[in-house]
Amino acid sequence: MTRPLAAAERFVEEMPDDLMARVTPVFSPLLRIEPTGDALGLLPDMAAIFSSSNGVQYGPEGAGRMAYCVGARTTAQAKAKGWSAQMAGQDADALVSYVIGNPPNKSLVHIRGRHTRGDIAGRLVTAGHTVTEAIVYDQVPQPLNNAARTAMIESDATIVPLFSPRTAVEFAKQDPRAKCLNVIALSAAVAEAAHPLKVHSVAERPDAAAMYAAIRQAISSG
């Protein structure tokens, strides 16, 4: 499990029982999430864009303001923090299309991490929206730990689910050596970012259920 630790632990905790009985999770986060500590003041008539749950966690309270979110989990977390949140798709492309098709009569702020893909703000500005960006957390690279390197070298079958382009880049950069490595990408963008590493399969949808299904298929075909 290479994604940030909290997200990796949650993914394993929610893993279906039939998968848990067949895998041994090894945690080696390749990114450490650190808040920037920057204060973010929002006007009452501003609406937010959240493309990750970390943006919600390290962003301000919603106070009833509108928010457009990527994914059901991020939407739920935004609602819990006081935002009038609506899910606007499963990825950045879907969110951009949704906002363009349902233009708010408000200025927008994309509350995000230092590293992001999809150029949400830039694309919406090009479409005529007023959008600023607020960086509330950083994603600091970490090396693969010894437990992960040992598992990839000594195991008969090692499955590596990659959930974000940045994690995929870091994983490929570290050039892991393994006898039997099965890499699964959450999306086509994640698979592309993993180049030149071989990606064996891509989840049908960018969500946890599809990733569990891809892992199950990898085990069955392995």
Side-chain angles (χ1 to χ4, degrees):
M1 295 302 300
T2 59
R3 68 194 311 199
L5 186 58
E9 290 178 335
R10 183 174 63 244
F11 182 79
V12 170
E13 288 171 1
E14 297 176 357
M15 185 175 289
D17 291 341
D18 67 302
L19 286 185
M20 279 301 298
R22 303 172 71 183
V23 301
T24 301
V26 177
F27 295 93
S28 180
L30 293 181
L31 299 175
R32 184 180 72 251
I33 304 300
E34 293 185 352
T36 61
D38 296 340
L40 176 58
L42 297 181
L43 298 175
D45 62 344
M46 294 184 78
I49 293 172
F50 291 113
S51 51
S52 74
S53 59
N54 289 315
V56 177
Q57 179 178 349
Y58 297 113
E61 296 290 330
R65 298 182 186 88
M66 182 185 298
Y68 298 95
C69 304
V70 171
R73 184 181 297 277
T74 299
T75 305
Q77 290 175 326
K79 288 180 178 179
K81 201 165 180 179
W83 294 90
S84 178
Q86 54 187 291
M87 180 174 160
Q90 289 284 7
D91 56 24
D93 290 343
L95 183 141
V96 169
S97 296
Y98 182 89
V99 174
I100 291 175
N102 301 271
N105 187 25
K106 299 175 181 294
S107 60
L108 298 163
V109 55
H110 183 193
I111 301 174
R112 65 174 181 85
R114 191 172 306 281
H115 304 274
T116 188
R117 289 173 64 96
D119 191 22
I120 290 174
R123 292 159 68 186
L124 289 175
V125 168
T126 299
H129 296 274
T130 301
V131 188
T132 57
E133 296 180 288
I135 297 172
V136 296
Y137 67 95
D138 198 359
Q139 307 102 314
V140 183
Q142 304 294 299
L144 282 166
N145 61 31
N146 290 334
R149 291 188 178 277
T150 298
M152 288 189 290
I153 292 171
E154 296 182 354
S155 174
D156 291 335
T158 303
I159 296 173
V160 181
L162 297 176
F163 291 83
S164 72
R166 183 92 192 287
T167 302
V169 168
E170 291 300 323
F171 186 73
K173 187 188 302 181
Q174 297 190 37
D175 191 26
R177 307 294 182 180
K179 292 190 302 182
C180 187
L181 188 64
N182 193 320
V183 178
I184 302 173
L186 182 67
S187 67
V190 175
E192 181 181 355
H195 182 79
L197 195 68
K198 180 181 179 181
V199 173
H200 296 77
S201 62
V202 178
E204 290 187 359
R205 303 176 310 280
D207 59 34
M211 185 62 94
Y212 292 136
I215 294 172
R216 186 177 291 108
Q217 179 61 36
I219 294 172
S220 299
S221 61

Short mmCIF file of all heavy atoms in Angstrom, two decimals, residues 154-221:
data_model
loop_
_atom_site.label_atom_id
_atom_site.label_comp_id
_atom_site.label_asym_id
_atom_site.label_seq_id
_atom_site.Cartn_x
_atom_site.Cartn_y
_atom_site.Cartn_z
N GLU A 154 10.88 -11.05 -2.36
CA GLU A 154 10.80 -12.43 -1.87
C GLU A 154 9.45 -13.09 -2.11
O GLU A 154 9.35 -14.32 -2.12
CB GLU A 154 11.12 -12.46 -0.37
CG GLU A 154 12.55 -12.02 -0.06
CD GLU A 154 12.86 -12.10 1.42
OE1 GLU A 154 11.92 -12.39 2.21
OE2 GLU A 154 14.03 -11.87 1.80
N SER A 155 8.38 -12.30 -2.28
CA SER A 155 7.06 -12.89 -2.43
C SER A 155 6.88 -13.53 -3.79
O SER A 155 7.46 -13.09 -4.79
CB SER A 155 5.99 -11.82 -2.22
OG SER A 155 4.70 -12.33 -2.48
N ASP A 156 6.06 -14.58 -3.84
CA ASP A 156 5.73 -15.21 -5.11
C ASP A 156 4.81 -14.33 -5.95
O ASP A 156 4.77 -14.44 -7.17
CB ASP A 156 5.06 -16.57 -4.88
CG ASP A 156 6.04 -17.59 -4.32
OD1 ASP A 156 7.25 -17.43 -4.56
OD2 ASP A 156 5.59 -18.53 -3.64
N ALA A 157 4.02 -13.47 -5.29
CA ALA A 157 3.10 -12.58 -6.00
C ALA A 157 2.87 -11.33 -5.16
O ALA A 157 2.42 -11.43 -4.02
CB ALA A 157 1.77 -13.28 -6.26
N THR A 158 3.20 -10.19 -5.71
CA THR A 158 3.00 -8.92 -5.02
C THR A 158 2.10 -8.03 -5.86
O THR A 158 2.41 -7.75 -7.02
CB THR A 158 4.35 -8.21 -4.77
OG1 THR A 158 5.21 -9.06 -4.02
CG2 THR A 158 4.12 -6.92 -3.99
N ILE A 159 0.99 -7.60 -5.29
CA ILE A 159 0.06 -6.71 -5.97
C ILE A 159 0.28 -5.29 -5.45
O ILE A 159 0.31 -5.07 -4.23
CB ILE A 159 -1.40 -7.14 -5.73
CG1 ILE A 159 -1.64 -8.52 -6.36
CG2 ILE A 159 -2.38 -6.12 -6.30
CD1 ILE A 159 -3.00 -9.10 -6.04
N VAL A 160 0.46 -4.36 -6.36
CA VAL A 160 0.69 -2.96 -5.99
C VAL A 160 -0.43 -2.11 -6.59
O VAL A 160 -0.41 -1.81 -7.78
CB VAL A 160 2.06 -2.45 -6.48
CG1 VAL A 160 2.26 -0.99 -6.05
CG2 VAL A 160 3.18 -3.33 -5.95
N PRO A 161 -1.43 -1.72 -5.78
CA PRO A 161 -2.46 -0.80 -6.28
C PRO A 161 -1.94 0.64 -6.20
O PRO A 161 -1.46 1.07 -5.16
CB PRO A 161 -3.63 -1.03 -5.32
CG PRO A 161 -3.05 -1.66 -4.11
CD PRO A 161 -1.70 -2.19 -4.43
N LEU A 162 -2.01 1.35 -7.32
CA LEU A 162 -1.58 2.75 -7.36
C LEU A 162 -2.81 3.63 -7.53
O LEU A 162 -3.59 3.44 -8.47
CB LEU A 162 -0.61 2.96 -8.52
CG LEU A 162 0.71 2.18 -8.43
CD1 LEU A 162 1.54 2.39 -9.69
CD2 LEU A 162 1.50 2.60 -7.18
N PHE A 163 -2.97 4.61 -6.65
CA PHE A 163 -4.21 5.39 -6.59
C PHE A 163 -4.11 6.80 -7.15
O PHE A 163 -5.14 7.44 -7.35
CB PHE A 163 -4.68 5.48 -5.13
CG PHE A 163 -5.17 4.17 -4.56
CD1 PHE A 163 -4.28 3.24 -4.06
CD2 PHE A 163 -6.53 3.88 -4.54
CE1 PHE A 163 -4.73 2.03 -3.54
CE2 PHE A 163 -6.98 2.68 -4.02
CZ PHE A 163 -6.08 1.75 -3.52
N SER A 164 -2.92 7.30 -7.37
CA SER A 164 -2.80 8.67 -7.87
C SER A 164 -1.62 8.78 -8.81
O SER A 164 -0.65 8.01 -8.69
CB SER A 164 -2.61 9.66 -6.71
OG SER A 164 -1.31 9.52 -6.16
N PRO A 165 -1.67 9.72 -9.76
CA PRO A 165 -0.53 9.90 -10.66
C PRO A 165 0.76 10.21 -9.91
O PRO A 165 1.83 9.72 -10.28
CB PRO A 165 -0.97 11.08 -11.53
CG PRO A 165 -2.47 10.98 -11.56
CD PRO A 165 -2.84 10.53 -10.17
N ARG A 166 0.69 11.01 -8.86
CA ARG A 166 1.91 11.38 -8.13
C ARG A 166 2.53 10.15 -7.47
O ARG A 166 3.75 9.96 -7.50
CB ARG A 166 1.57 12.44 -7.08
CG ARG A 166 2.81 12.92 -6.31
CD ARG A 166 3.44 14.14 -6.96
NE ARG A 166 4.75 14.42 -6.40
CZ ARG A 166 4.96 14.94 -5.19
NH1 ARG A 166 3.94 15.23 -4.42
NH2 ARG A 166 6.18 15.19 -4.78
N THR A 167 1.70 9.31 -6.86
CA THR A 167 2.22 8.07 -6.26
C THR A 167 2.80 7.16 -7.32
O THR A 167 3.84 6.53 -7.11
CB THR A 167 1.11 7.35 -5.48
OG1 THR A 167 0.58 8.22 -4.47
CG2 THR A 167 1.65 6.10 -4.81
N ALA A 168 2.14 7.09 -8.47
CA ALA A 168 2.64 6.25 -9.56
C ALA A 168 4.01 6.73 -10.03
O ALA A 168 4.92 5.92 -10.28
CB ALA A 168 1.65 6.26 -10.72
N VAL A 169 4.18 8.04 -10.15
CA VAL A 169 5.47 8.59 -10.55
C VAL A 169 6.56 8.22 -9.55
O VAL A 169 7.66 7.79 -9.92
CB VAL A 169 5.38 10.13 -10.69
CG1 VAL A 169 6.77 10.75 -10.81
CG2 VAL A 169 4.54 10.51 -11.90
N GLU A 170 6.24 8.37 -8.26
CA GLU A 170 7.23 8.07 -7.23
C GLU A 170 7.58 6.58 -7.22
O GLU A 170 8.74 6.21 -7.04
CB GLU A 170 6.70 8.50 -5.85
CG GLU A 170 6.60 10.00 -5.66
CD GLU A 170 7.94 10.70 -5.80
OE1 GLU A 170 8.97 10.13 -5.38
OE2 GLU A 170 7.97 11.82 -6.35
N PHE A 171 6.57 5.74 -7.41
CA PHE A 171 6.82 4.30 -7.40
C PHE A 171 7.71 3.90 -8.57
O PHE A 171 8.69 3.16 -8.41
CB PHE A 171 5.50 3.53 -7.45
CG PHE A 171 5.65 2.05 -7.28
CD1 PHE A 171 5.96 1.50 -6.05
CD2 PHE A 171 5.51 1.19 -8.36
CE1 PHE A 171 6.11 0.13 -5.88
CE2 PHE A 171 5.65 -0.18 -8.22
CZ PHE A 171 5.96 -0.71 -6.97
N ALA A 172 7.39 4.41 -9.75
CA ALA A 172 8.20 4.09 -10.94
C ALA A 172 9.61 4.66 -10.82
O ALA A 172 10.58 4.03 -11.26
CB ALA A 172 7.51 4.64 -12.19
N LYS A 173 9.74 5.83 -10.22
CA LYS A 173 11.04 6.48 -10.08
C LYS A 173 11.99 5.64 -9.22
O LYS A 173 13.21 5.64 -9.44
CB LYS A 173 10.84 7.86 -9.44
CG LYS A 173 12.09 8.72 -9.37
CD LYS A 173 11.83 9.97 -8.56
CE LYS A 173 10.70 10.80 -9.13
NZ LYS A 173 10.49 12.04 -8.33
N GLN A 174 11.43 4.93 -8.24
CA GLN A 174 12.27 4.15 -7.34
C GLN A 174 12.65 2.79 -7.93
O GLN A 174 13.38 2.02 -7.30
CB GLN A 174 11.58 4.00 -5.98
CG GLN A 174 11.40 5.36 -5.31
CD GLN A 174 10.95 5.26 -3.87
OE1 GLN A 174 11.38 4.37 -3.14
NE2 GLN A 174 10.08 6.17 -3.45
N ASP A 175 12.12 2.49 -9.12
CA ASP A 175 12.54 1.34 -9.91
C ASP A 175 12.58 0.06 -9.07
O ASP A 175 13.62 -0.57 -8.94
CB ASP A 175 13.92 1.60 -10.52
CG ASP A 175 14.28 0.55 -11.56
OD1 ASP A 175 13.35 -0.03 -12.15
OD2 ASP A 175 15.47 0.32 -11.78
N PRO A 176 11.44 -0.34 -8.49
CA PRO A 176 11.45 -1.53 -7.64
C PRO A 176 11.75 -2.80 -8.43
O PRO A 176 11.26 -2.99 -9.54
CB PRO A 176 10.03 -1.57 -7.08
CG PRO A 176 9.22 -0.83 -8.08
CD PRO A 176 10.11 0.23 -8.63
N ARG A 177 12.58 -3.66 -7.87
CA ARG A 177 12.89 -4.94 -8.49
C ARG A 177 12.05 -6.01 -7.82
O ARG A 177 11.97 -6.10 -6.61
CB ARG A 177 14.38 -5.27 -8.30
CG ARG A 177 15.30 -4.14 -8.76
CD ARG A 177 15.23 -3.93 -10.25
NE ARG A 177 16.15 -2.89 -10.70
CZ ARG A 177 16.28 -2.52 -11.96
NH1 ARG A 177 15.52 -3.06 -12.89
NH2 ARG A 177 17.13 -1.56 -12.29
N ALA A 178 11.41 -6.81 -8.60
CA ALA A 178 10.55 -7.85 -8.03
C ALA A 178 10.45 -9.03 -8.98
O ALA A 178 10.51 -8.88 -10.20
CB ALA A 178 9.16 -7.29 -7.75
N LYS A 179 10.28 -10.20 -8.40
CA LYS A 179 10.13 -11.41 -9.22
C LYS A 179 8.74 -11.47 -9.84
O LYS A 179 8.59 -11.88 -10.97
CB LYS A 179 10.35 -12.65 -8.34
CG LYS A 179 11.77 -12.83 -7.85
CD LYS A 179 11.97 -14.18 -7.20
CE LYS A 179 11.04 -14.41 -6.04
NZ LYS A 179 11.26 -15.71 -5.37
N CYS A 180 7.73 -11.09 -9.08
CA CYS A 180 6.36 -11.19 -9.58
C CYS A 180 5.57 -9.99 -9.07
O CYS A 180 5.05 -10.01 -7.95
CB CYS A 180 5.71 -12.50 -9.13
SG CYS A 180 4.10 -12.80 -9.86
N LEU A 181 5.53 -8.93 -9.86
CA LEU A 181 4.90 -7.68 -9.46
C LEU A 181 3.70 -7.42 -10.34
O LEU A 181 3.80 -7.37 -11.56
CB LEU A 181 5.92 -6.54 -9.61
CG LEU A 181 5.53 -5.17 -9.06
CD1 LEU A 181 5.36 -5.23 -7.55
CD2 LEU A 181 6.59 -4.15 -9.43
N ASN A 182 2.52 -7.27 -9.71
CA ASN A 182 1.29 -7.01 -10.44
C ASN A 182 0.81 -5.61 -10.07
O ASN A 182 0.33 -5.38 -8.97
CB ASN A 182 0.23 -8.06 -10.08
CG ASN A 182 -0.95 -8.03 -11.03
OD1 ASN A 182 -1.41 -6.97 -11.44
ND2 ASN A 182 -1.45 -9.20 -11.37
N VAL A 183 0.97 -4.67 -10.99
CA VAL A 183 0.62 -3.27 -10.73
C VAL A 183 -0.78 -2.98 -11.27
O VAL A 183 -1.09 -3.25 -12.43
CB VAL A 183 1.63 -2.32 -11.40
CG1 VAL A 183 1.24 -0.86 -11.16
CG2 VAL A 183 3.04 -2.58 -10.84
N ILE A 184 -1.63 -2.43 -10.40
CA ILE A 184 -2.99 -2.06 -10.76
C ILE A 184 -3.16 -0.56 -10.59
O ILE A 184 -2.84 -0.01 -9.53
CB ILE A 184 -4.02 -2.80 -9.88
CG1 ILE A 184 -3.84 -4.32 -9.99
CG2 ILE A 184 -5.44 -2.41 -10.27
CD1 ILE A 184 -4.70 -5.09 -9.03
N ALA A 185 -3.64 0.12 -11.63
CA ALA A 185 -3.83 1.57 -11.58
C ALA A 185 -5.30 1.90 -11.39
O ALA A 185 -6.18 1.23 -11.93
CB ALA A 185 -3.32 2.21 -12.87
N LEU A 186 -5.56 2.95 -10.63
CA LEU A 186 -6.94 3.37 -10.38
C LEU A 186 -7.60 3.95 -11.62
O LEU A 186 -8.81 3.86 -11.78
CB LEU A 186 -6.96 4.40 -9.25
CG LEU A 186 -8.32 4.93 -8.81
CD1 LEU A 186 -9.13 3.82 -8.14
CD2 LEU A 186 -8.17 6.11 -7.88
N SER A 187 -6.80 4.52 -12.51
CA SER A 187 -7.35 5.16 -13.71
C SER A 187 -6.30 5.16 -14.81
O SER A 187 -5.12 4.85 -14.58
CB SER A 187 -7.75 6.60 -13.41
OG SER A 187 -6.62 7.39 -13.13
N ALA A 188 -6.73 5.57 -16.00
CA ALA A 188 -5.79 5.65 -17.12
C ALA A 188 -4.72 6.70 -16.85
O ALA A 188 -3.56 6.52 -17.24
CB ALA A 188 -6.56 6.00 -18.40
N ALA A 189 -5.08 7.79 -16.17
CA ALA A 189 -4.09 8.82 -15.85
C ALA A 189 -3.02 8.28 -14.90
O ALA A 189 -1.84 8.62 -15.03
CB ALA A 189 -4.79 10.03 -15.23
N VAL A 190 -3.43 7.45 -13.96
CA VAL A 190 -2.48 6.84 -13.04
C VAL A 190 -1.57 5.88 -13.80
O VAL A 190 -0.35 5.85 -13.59
CB VAL A 190 -3.21 6.11 -11.90
CG1 VAL A 190 -2.22 5.37 -11.01
CG2 VAL A 190 -4.02 7.12 -11.06
N ALA A 191 -2.14 5.10 -14.69
CA ALA A 191 -1.35 4.16 -15.49
C ALA A 191 -0.33 4.90 -16.34
O ALA A 191 0.83 4.48 -16.46
CB ALA A 191 -2.27 3.32 -16.37
N GLU A 192 -0.74 6.00 -16.93
CA GLU A 192 0.17 6.79 -17.76
C GLU A 192 1.33 7.34 -16.93
O GLU A 192 2.49 7.36 -17.38
CB GLU A 192 -0.59 7.92 -18.42
CG GLU A 192 0.26 8.80 -19.33
CD GLU A 192 -0.53 9.93 -19.95
OE1 GLU A 192 -1.76 9.99 -19.74
OE2 GLU A 192 0.09 10.77 -20.63
N ALA A 193 1.03 7.79 -15.71
CA ALA A 193 2.06 8.36 -14.86
C ALA A 193 3.08 7.32 -14.39
O ALA A 193 4.20 7.68 -14.04
CB ALA A 193 1.41 9.02 -13.64
N ALA A 194 2.70 6.05 -14.41
CA ALA A 194 3.60 4.99 -13.95
C ALA A 194 4.66 4.61 -14.99
O ALA A 194 5.57 3.84 -14.68
CB ALA A 194 2.79 3.75 -13.57
N HIS A 195 4.54 5.12 -16.22
CA HIS A 195 5.51 4.80 -17.27
C HIS A 195 6.93 5.11 -16.81
O HIS A 195 7.15 6.13 -16.15
CB HIS A 195 5.18 5.60 -18.53
CG HIS A 195 6.08 5.32 -19.68
ND1 HIS A 195 5.93 4.21 -20.47
CD2 HIS A 195 7.16 6.00 -20.15
CE1 HIS A 195 6.87 4.22 -21.40
NE2 HIS A 195 7.62 5.30 -21.23
N PRO A 196 7.93 4.24 -17.09
CA PRO A 196 7.89 3.07 -17.97
C PRO A 196 7.54 1.75 -17.27
O PRO A 196 7.69 0.69 -17.86
CB PRO A 196 9.32 3.02 -18.50
CG PRO A 196 10.13 3.50 -17.33
CD PRO A 196 9.30 4.56 -16.65
N LEU A 197 7.08 1.84 -16.01
CA LEU A 197 6.71 0.63 -15.30
C LEU A 197 5.52 -0.04 -15.99
O LEU A 197 4.60 0.65 -16.44
CB LEU A 197 6.34 0.99 -13.86
CG LEU A 197 6.24 -0.14 -12.84
CD1 LEU A 197 7.61 -0.73 -12.56
CD2 LEU A 197 5.62 0.38 -11.55
N LYS A 198 5.53 -1.36 -16.06
CA LYS A 198 4.41 -2.07 -16.67
C LYS A 198 3.21 -2.08 -15.73
O LYS A 198 3.32 -2.51 -14.60
CB LYS A 198 4.82 -3.51 -17.01
CG LYS A 198 3.68 -4.31 -17.64
CD LYS A 198 4.10 -5.74 -17.95
CE LYS A 198 2.94 -6.52 -18.56
NZ LYS A 198 3.30 -7.93 -18.86
N VAL A 199 2.09 -1.61 -16.23
CA VAL A 199 0.84 -1.67 -15.49
C VAL A 199 0.02 -2.82 -16.04
O VAL A 199 -0.25 -2.88 -17.24
CB VAL A 199 0.07 -0.34 -15.61
CG1 VAL A 199 -1.32 -0.46 -14.97
CG2 VAL A 199 0.85 0.80 -14.96
N HIS A 200 -0.37 -3.74 -15.17
CA HIS A 200 -1.04 -4.96 -15.61
C HIS A 200 -2.54 -4.78 -15.82
O HIS A 200 -3.13 -5.46 -16.66
CB HIS A 200 -0.78 -6.08 -14.60
CG HIS A 200 0.68 -6.46 -14.51
ND1 HIS A 200 1.59 -5.69 -13.84
CD2 HIS A 200 1.37 -7.51 -15.03
CE1 HIS A 200 2.79 -6.26 -13.94
NE2 HIS A 200 2.68 -7.35 -14.64
N SER A 201 -3.16 -3.88 -15.06
CA SER A 201 -4.59 -3.65 -15.25
C SER A 201 -4.98 -2.28 -14.71
O SER A 201 -4.25 -1.68 -13.90
CB SER A 201 -5.42 -4.74 -14.55
OG SER A 201 -5.19 -4.73 -13.16
N VAL A 202 -6.12 -1.79 -15.20
CA VAL A 202 -6.66 -0.50 -14.76
C VAL A 202 -8.08 -0.73 -14.25
O VAL A 202 -8.87 -1.43 -14.90
CB VAL A 202 -6.68 0.51 -15.92
CG1 VAL A 202 -7.29 1.83 -15.48
CG2 VAL A 202 -5.27 0.73 -16.46
N ALA A 203 -8.39 -0.18 -13.09
CA ALA A 203 -9.73 -0.35 -12.52
C ALA A 203 -10.79 0.22 -13.47
O ALA A 203 -10.54 1.20 -14.17
CB ALA A 203 -9.81 0.35 -11.17
N GLU A 204 -11.94 -0.41 -13.50
CA GLU A 204 -13.01 0.03 -14.42
C GLU A 204 -13.52 1.43 -14.09
O GLU A 204 -13.99 2.14 -14.98
CB GLU A 204 -14.17 -0.98 -14.37
CG GLU A 204 -13.84 -2.33 -15.00
CD GLU A 204 -15.06 -3.23 -15.09
OE1 GLU A 204 -16.15 -2.79 -14.64
OE2 GLU A 204 -14.93 -4.34 -15.61
N ARG A 205 -13.47 1.81 -12.82
CA ARG A 205 -13.89 3.14 -12.39
C ARG A 205 -12.89 3.63 -11.34
O ARG A 205 -12.26 2.82 -10.66
CB ARG A 205 -15.29 3.12 -11.75
CG ARG A 205 -16.39 2.56 -12.60
CD ARG A 205 -17.70 2.51 -11.81
NE ARG A 205 -17.52 1.87 -10.50
CZ ARG A 205 -17.47 0.53 -10.32
NH1 ARG A 205 -17.59 -0.29 -11.34
NH2 ARG A 205 -17.32 0.03 -9.11
N PRO A 206 -12.74 4.92 -11.19
CA PRO A 206 -11.79 5.43 -10.20
C PRO A 206 -12.39 5.46 -8.79
O PRO A 206 -12.56 6.53 -8.19
CB PRO A 206 -11.49 6.85 -10.72
CG PRO A 206 -12.75 7.26 -11.41
CD PRO A 206 -13.30 6.01 -12.03
N ASP A 207 -12.73 4.29 -8.27
CA ASP A 207 -13.25 4.22 -6.91
C ASP A 207 -12.77 2.94 -6.22
O ASP A 207 -12.21 2.04 -6.86
CB ASP A 207 -14.77 4.34 -6.86
CG ASP A 207 -15.49 3.25 -7.65
OD1 ASP A 207 -14.99 2.11 -7.71
OD2 ASP A 207 -16.57 3.53 -8.20
N ALA A 208 -12.99 2.87 -4.92
CA ALA A 208 -12.48 1.75 -4.13
C ALA A 208 -13.09 0.42 -4.55
O ALA A 208 -12.40 -0.60 -4.64
CB ALA A 208 -12.74 2.00 -2.64
N ALA A 209 -14.38 0.42 -4.84
CA ALA A 209 -15.05 -0.83 -5.22
C ALA A 209 -14.43 -1.43 -6.47
O ALA A 209 -14.20 -2.65 -6.56
CB ALA A 209 -16.55 -0.58 -5.43
N ALA A 210 -14.13 -0.58 -7.45
CA ALA A 210 -13.51 -1.07 -8.68
C ALA A 210 -12.08 -1.54 -8.43
O ALA A 210 -11.61 -2.49 -9.06
CB ALA A 210 -13.54 0.02 -9.74
N MET A 211 -11.39 -0.88 -7.51
CA MET A 211 -10.03 -1.32 -7.20
C MET A 211 -10.05 -2.67 -6.48
O MET A 211 -9.23 -3.54 -6.76
CB MET A 211 -9.32 -0.27 -6.35
CG MET A 211 -7.85 -0.60 -6.08
SD MET A 211 -6.85 -0.67 -7.59
CE MET A 211 -6.23 1.01 -7.65
N TYR A 212 -11.01 -2.86 -5.58
CA TYR A 212 -11.14 -4.17 -4.93
C TYR A 212 -11.41 -5.25 -5.98
O TYR A 212 -10.84 -6.35 -5.92
CB TYR A 212 -12.29 -4.16 -3.92
CG TYR A 212 -12.06 -3.31 -2.69
CD1 TYR A 212 -13.07 -2.48 -2.20
CD2 TYR A 212 -10.85 -3.34 -2.01
CE1 TYR A 212 -12.88 -1.70 -1.08
CE2 TYR A 212 -10.64 -2.55 -0.88
CZ TYR A 212 -11.66 -1.72 -0.42
OH TYR A 212 -11.47 -0.95 0.70
N ALA A 213 -12.26 -4.93 -6.95
CA ALA A 213 -12.58 -5.90 -8.00
C ALA A 213 -11.34 -6.23 -8.84
O ALA A 213 -11.11 -7.39 -9.22
CB ALA A 213 -13.68 -5.35 -8.89
N ALA A 214 -10.52 -5.21 -9.12
CA ALA A 214 -9.30 -5.43 -9.89
C ALA A 214 -8.31 -6.28 -9.11
O ALA A 214 -7.62 -7.14 -9.69
CB ALA A 214 -8.69 -4.10 -10.29
N ILE A 215 -8.22 -6.06 -7.82
CA ILE A 215 -7.33 -6.88 -6.98
C ILE A 215 -7.81 -8.31 -6.95
O ILE A 215 -7.02 -9.26 -7.07
CB ILE A 215 -7.25 -6.29 -5.55
CG1 ILE A 215 -6.56 -4.93 -5.57
CG2 ILE A 215 -6.52 -7.25 -4.62
CD1 ILE A 215 -6.61 -4.19 -4.25
N ARG A 216 -9.13 -8.47 -6.82
CA ARG A 216 -9.71 -9.83 -6.81
C ARG A 216 -9.38 -10.56 -8.12
O ARG A 216 -9.01 -11.73 -8.12
CB ARG A 216 -11.22 -9.73 -6.59
CG ARG A 216 -11.91 -11.08 -6.42
CD ARG A 216 -13.38 -10.91 -6.14
NE ARG A 216 -13.63 -10.33 -4.82
CZ ARG A 216 -14.06 -9.11 -4.60
NH1 ARG A 216 -14.29 -8.29 -5.62
NH2 ARG A 216 -14.26 -8.66 -3.36
N GLN A 217 -9.49 -9.84 -9.23
CA GLN A 217 -9.19 -10.44 -10.53
C GLN A 217 -7.71 -10.79 -10.65
O GLN A 217 -7.34 -11.85 -11.20
CB GLN A 217 -9.56 -9.46 -11.65
CG GLN A 217 -9.26 -9.96 -13.07
CD GLN A 217 -10.01 -11.23 -13.41
OE1 GLN A 217 -11.16 -11.41 -12.98
NE2 GLN A 217 -9.38 -12.10 -14.17
N ALA A 218 -6.85 -9.95 -10.12
CA ALA A 218 -5.41 -10.21 -10.15
C ALA A 218 -5.06 -11.47 -9.37
O ALA A 218 -4.22 -12.28 -9.79
CB ALA A 218 -4.64 -9.02 -9.62
N ILE A 219 -5.71 -11.64 -8.23
CA ILE A 219 -5.48 -12.84 -7.42
C ILE A 219 -5.96 -14.09 -8.15
O ILE A 219 -5.28 -15.12 -8.21
CB ILE A 219 -6.18 -12.71 -6.05
CG1 ILE A 219 -5.55 -11.59 -5.22
CG2 ILE A 219 -6.11 -14.03 -5.28
CD1 ILE A 219 -6.30 -11.27 -3.96
N SER A 220 -7.13 -13.99 -8.75
CA SER A 220 -7.72 -15.15 -9.44
C SER A 220 -6.90 -15.58 -10.66
O SER A 220 -6.79 -16.77 -10.96
CB SER A 220 -9.15 -14.84 -9.89
OG SER A 220 -9.96 -14.55 -8.77
N SER A 221 -6.31 -14.60 -11.34
CA SER A 221 -5.56 -14.91 -12.55
C SER A 221 -4.09 -15.17 -12.28
O SER A 221 -3.34 -15.52 -13.19
CB SER A 221 -5.68 -13.77 -13.57
OG SER A 221 -5.16 -12.57 -13.03
#
